[in-house]
Amino acid sequence: MVNVVAENKYLNYPQQPHGGKLVDKVVTGTEREEELVRAKQLPTIMVDMEASITLEMIATGVLSPNEGFMNEADYNSVLSKGRLTSGVIWPAPLSFAPIGNRNKEIVKSLKVGDEITLADENNEPVAIMKIEDVFQYDKERRASALFGTTDRNHPGVDAIYRRMGDVSLGGPIRLLRRMDWGPFEKLRLEPKDTWRIFYEEKKFRTAAGFITGANPLHRGHEYIHKNALEELDGLLLQPLVEMAKREYTRHEYRMLSYRSVLDTYYPKGRSILAPLRVTYIFAGPRETVLHALIMKNYGCTHALIGRDHAGIGDYYDKYASHSIFDEFKPEELGIEVRLYHEVFYCTRCDSPATGQSCPHDEQYRINISGTGIREMLRHGIMPPKEIVRPESARIAMQGVQPKGLDEFERSISPVGKTLNSIFPFYLTRTRLGGRKRNTPLTVEQLTNLDLEAANLDVRTNADQIYRDIFDEFSCVGDVNRGLQPEWIADARESMRVQQEMVIQDLEEKVSLAPTTASDEFLYQDKEESQRELDVAKKILADIPRVLSEDYLQERTWNVLPYNRYRGSDEPKEADKEK
């Protein structure tokens, strides 16, 4: 039978499904057996894997409150307003416009009220759909309204023209067969599962959702996650496991890299990892809103959104995924959205940071670029520990495709672009925090050797910068000199003694120097000798002072006797005798 989830089931939970109900259109039990038989008798339309994934998302409540593919009124309302005709926020239309000659013939014969079977490539029934609307599908209008472009180079636009026909069918569906998630089946969680885990088993009051794309877990992700975990009860991590490109890290390895880092660096029992099988739309800000609503349907009270979420190339402003939420009232969304700026690693702060919290410029930064990290893995280089945990990088490197370089020592992305995306300082400075180059390098000039050099520099100096700064401060600040190495004091004392010797010799030289030198190359006159003496005295002043315990005693003094600070006002025995 079709499981009908009671709308009031969630009234006592901290969150509610979007639109007020969690859709469940999965047919089970004896009814499923009967429907599978009946499905063989109905007109059949073949669907591809992406459509099968969408059907499963609808049936399991991921796309609540939608119960099927949209009719024309809802479709047009979503395209133009980002809402269903009911007024409920929904950013991306769910449309079904079958392509293929055989499917087109079936579509021509359909009318409102008919039922059809949707079957996979093996002609096995996936779902039954009841036709409530048949209308013309305008590809160009959909592309323009949804993506803001009709450029076929945009993968979402290209998918419309490749996958969609000219007539769209609207109506509710009932799922007869779930997809096999292969290696992810053991990690698979549906919305009904996460609601139970959050609010029945773990008794959470708050849970943050985080949907992430093609890259292994890096420290930009970790920064966002742990920021949320400081105040929220739980975290649902959902790496997408449906890709539109070939050169990404294989999904199994991405999931394994996540598991490795979670096991080592995240609090136990508060972070839940579950792959999300969602078709990529590449709709930029609109897809960001969709992901927030998906998190809501999984029971999350908060949505964590980074920079350029669901973006592609330069089609959208880098922070369009943030500004789009200005268009909706928080109570309409029903999920609290946390927006995060671009995360980088500042070696001067010695921590991950964003431009909102870090004042230092690019000479101290290591950028956290997912694309750059992936390319570095392809080069066979473990990225700096400051931007990717080694537990993540080591596993992800095994799953990157293609591995290594081609016969011309090239990767998928030009090496200069990869290097500049992570090490912005390298083009203008000789090293991390170092002096400026006389002539800045260009991206086109950079080679694989530069990528190696930048990595070696960062491996050596990234954690050294702040350590050196701390050593300088502690050398002056430690009143307890037992923490300071004796050889530092010995070296400074030696320098002072030597420089005082130089000054003493120069003072004698000045007193004996003639007004005019007999040999301008070999001997100095009195004026030049005095200039050398003045410089020598300044050098002595620049040599750090040797801070002995005796010298620092004056820093430790109290207004009252020490015992008074322990809370005792009793006079000492010696004081009584007086």
Side-chain angles (χ1 to χ4, degrees):
M1 61 178 290
V2 174
N3 299 308
V4 179
V5 180
E7 295 183 24
N8 62 1
K9 175 178 180 179
Y10 301 98
L11 292 180
N12 295 323
Y13 290 163
Q15 181 55 290
Q16 305 298 310
H18 191 54
K21 64 179 179 180
L22 187 66
V23 171
D24 189 343
K25 292 293 185 179
V26 180
V27 184
T28 59
T30 56
E31 183 180 358
R32 176 178 179 270
E33 299 303 318
E34 294 169 359
E35 291 294 86
L36 283 170
V37 173
R38 193 168 72 88
K40 296 287 188 179
Q41 314 305 317
L42 296 173
T44 299
I45 289 180
M46 308 298 291
V47 295
D48 60 14
M49 182 181 290
E50 289 189 50
S52 295
I53 292 170
T54 302
L55 288 167
E56 186 171 277
M57 291 167 65
I58 294 170
T60 56
V62 176
L63 303 179
S64 296
N66 296 283
E67 298 185 9
F69 293 110
M70 292 177 178
N71 59 34
E72 186 173 16
D74 277 331
Y75 175 83
N76 287 329
S77 179
V78 167
L79 272 186
S80 59
K81 302 175 184 177
R83 298 173 183 270
L84 300 169
T85 52
S86 64
V88 172
I89 295 170
W90 198 263
L94 297 175
S95 56
F96 178 51
I99 197 171
N101 293 332
R102 185 174 178 277
N103 284 344
K104 287 180 181 179
E105 291 301 316
I106 299 294
V107 170
K108 287 179 182 178
S109 68
L110 297 176
K111 61 183 184 300
V112 172
D114 288 346
E115 286 188 309
I116 59 171
T117 296
L118 307 180
D120 62 20
E121 58 185 10
N122 298 318
N123 204 29
E124 293 292 334
V126 175
I128 290 177
M129 176 180 181
K130 185 173 183 179
I131 306 300
E132 289 188 349
D133 204 355
V134 181
F135 57 96
Q136 290 298 307
Y137 184 82
D138 187 335
K139 298 184 181 73
E140 186 172 344
R141 177 170 178 264
R142 178 184 173 100
S144 181
L146 184 58
F147 302 114
T149 180
T150 56
D151 181 4
R152 287 289 295 268
N153 290 316
H154 186 295
V157 174
D158 184 59
I160 291 176
Y161 287 92
R162 282 189 300 101
R163 296 187 58 248
M164 298 297 186
D166 300 319
V167 178
S168 189
L169 306 176
I173 63 97
R174 293 186 297 163
L175 191 71
L176 304 180
R177 179 177 281 105
R178 284 183 170 92
M179 294 191 65
D180 181 7
W181 282 29
F184 311 114
E185 195 68 43
K186 60 181 178 291
L187 296 172
R188 172 180 181 155
L189 292 176
E190 294 178 359
K192 60 182 174 60
D193 300 318
T194 52
W195 285 88
R196 183 189 73 255
I197 294 169
F198 291 164
Y199 304 120
E200 294 177 21
E201 295 179 7
K202 293 184 176 291
K203 307 299 183 183
F204 288 165
R205 300 303 300 171
T206 53
F210 185 80
I211 293 175
T212 181
N215 300 306
L217 176 60
H218 55 61
R219 295 192 68 178
H221 297 144
E222 187 179 328
Y223 175 89
I224 294 172
H225 300 163
K226 292 189 174 178
N227 180 286
L229 283 172
E230 288 291 342
E231 56 175 318
L232 304 178
D233 294 335
L235 180 65
L236 177 63
L237 302 175
Q238 294 186 290
L240 298 179
V241 291
E242 284 299 325
M243 298 301 163
K245 288 188 174 183
R246 299 176 180 177
E247 74 274 14
Y248 286 171
T249 305
R250 292 192 185 280
H251 311 314
E252 312 93 279
Y253 288 92
R254 286 175 48 238
M255 295 299 293
L256 289 168
S257 73
Y258 262 81
R259 290 171 61 185
S260 179
V261 175
L262 292 179
D263 287 345
T264 311
Y265 297 100
Y266 282 57
K268 306 300 181 186
R270 293 179 59 203
S271 301
I272 298 167
L273 178 66
L276 182 60
R277 202 158 190 187
V278 175
T279 55
Y280 266 66
I281 304 175
F282 297 105
R286 283 211 184 206
E287 190 167 3
T288 303
V289 177
L290 176 64
H291 285 172
L293 298 181
I294 288 175
M295 296 177 211
K296 179 183 178 182
N297 283 329
Y298 270 93
C300 297
T301 56
H302 294 68
L304 310 180
I305 305 295
R307 179 192 69 99
D308 198 27
H309 186 99
I312 183 76
D314 297 321
Y315 286 101
Y316 311 109
D317 178 78
K318 297 301 182 185
Y319 286 100
S321 58
H322 289 190
S323 60
I324 191 170
F325 288 102
D326 295 337
E327 301 176 16
F328 306 108
K329 295 178 181 178
E331 58 270 23
E332 289 184 296
L333 284 168
I335 185 169
E336 186 173 328
V337 178
R338 299 285 178 88
L339 304 174
Y340 292 87
H341 285 69
E342 181 176 12
V343 183
F344 50 82
Y345 195 94
C346 175
T347 56
R348 180 62 182 86
C349 292
D350 195 30
S351 66
T354 73
Q356 297 292 96
S357 58
C358 170
H360 305 116
D361 61 25
E362 286 190 342
Q363 69 167 310
Y364 293 111
R365 289 185 187 179
I366 310 171
N367 282 351
I368 305 178
S369 161
T371 302
I373 289 168
R374 194 170 63 244
E375 289 304 297
M376 200 177 298
L377 294 173
R378 205 183 316 281
H379 275 260
I381 296 172
M382 290 277 284
K385 63 185 184 301
E386 287 74 18
I387 63 173
V388 186
R389 297 284 189 186
E391 291 86 347
S392 175
R394 187 189 67 82
I395 292 175
M397 187 184 289
Q398 298 173 56
V400 72
Q401 287 291 318
K403 293 179 173 67
L405 309 179
D406 66 13
E407 63 271 26
F408 301 106
E409 293 294 300
R410 297 175 305 187
S411 185
I412 296 295
S413 182
V415 66
K417 183 177 179 181
T418 298
L419 202 155
N420 191 43
S421 69
I422 296 181
F423 308 116
F425 66 87
Y426 191 81
L427 273 72
T428 57
R429 294 184 179 270
T430 56
R431 57 185 173 82
L432 187 62
R435 68 174 179 83
K436 287 187 175 181
R437 297 182 186 275
N438 294 330
T439 304
L441 301 175
T442 65
V443 170
E444 293 74 21
Q445 286 178 292
L446 301 176
T447 69
N448 292 344
L449 293 178
D450 291 298
L451 183 62
E452 293 176 9
N455 266 283
L456 288 172
D457 173 38
V458 168
R459 288 184 182 188
T460 302
N461 296 314
D463 56 359
Q464 186 69 33
I465 290 175
Y466 193 70
R467 192 185 314 160
D468 287 349
I469 291 168
F470 176 79
D471 286 347
E472 286 298 308
F473 275 79
S474 65
C475 188
V476 175
D478 280 339
V479 176
N480 181 345
R481 302 315 288 175
L483 277 68
Q484 291 300 316
E486 290 187 8
W487 57 84
I488 298 294
D490 290 346
R492 290 180 177 180
E493 180 62 31
S494 178
M495 282 191 288
R496 295 189 70 86
V497 169
Q498 293 164 5
Q499 194 63 19
E500 287 169 352
M501 178 184 68
V502 171
I503 290 171
Q504 182 180 354
D505 192 78
L506 289 176
E507 286 175 338
E508 294 179 7
K509 180 178 178 180
V510 169
S511 66
L512 299 174
T515 304
T516 303
S518 59
D519 185 332
E520 62 179 337
F521 292 105
L522 186 59
Y523 300 103
Q524 287 81 42
D525 56 29
K526 188 176 288 293
E527 182 180 355
E528 187 175 352
S529 298
Q530 183 63 50
R531 183 177 176 182
E532 286 185 336
L533 175 60
D534 293 341
V535 170
K537 289 180 178 180
K538 288 180 180 179
I539 292 174
L540 177 63
D542 288 339
I543 296 173
R545 168 169 203 142
V546 178
L547 301 179
S548 64
E549 292 184 19
D550 293 342
Y551 173 75
L552 293 174
Q553 278 184 351
E554 61 188 26
R555 297 190 191 179
T556 307
W557 59 276
N558 301 299
V559 177
L560 300 173
Y562 209 104
N563 66 301
R564 294 286 303 278
Y565 291 94
R566 292 195 180 99
S568 172
D569 286 326
E570 292 294 323
K572 295 180 179 179
E573 290 298 325
D575 293 336
K576 288 181 181 179
E577 294 175 1
K578 292 179 181 179

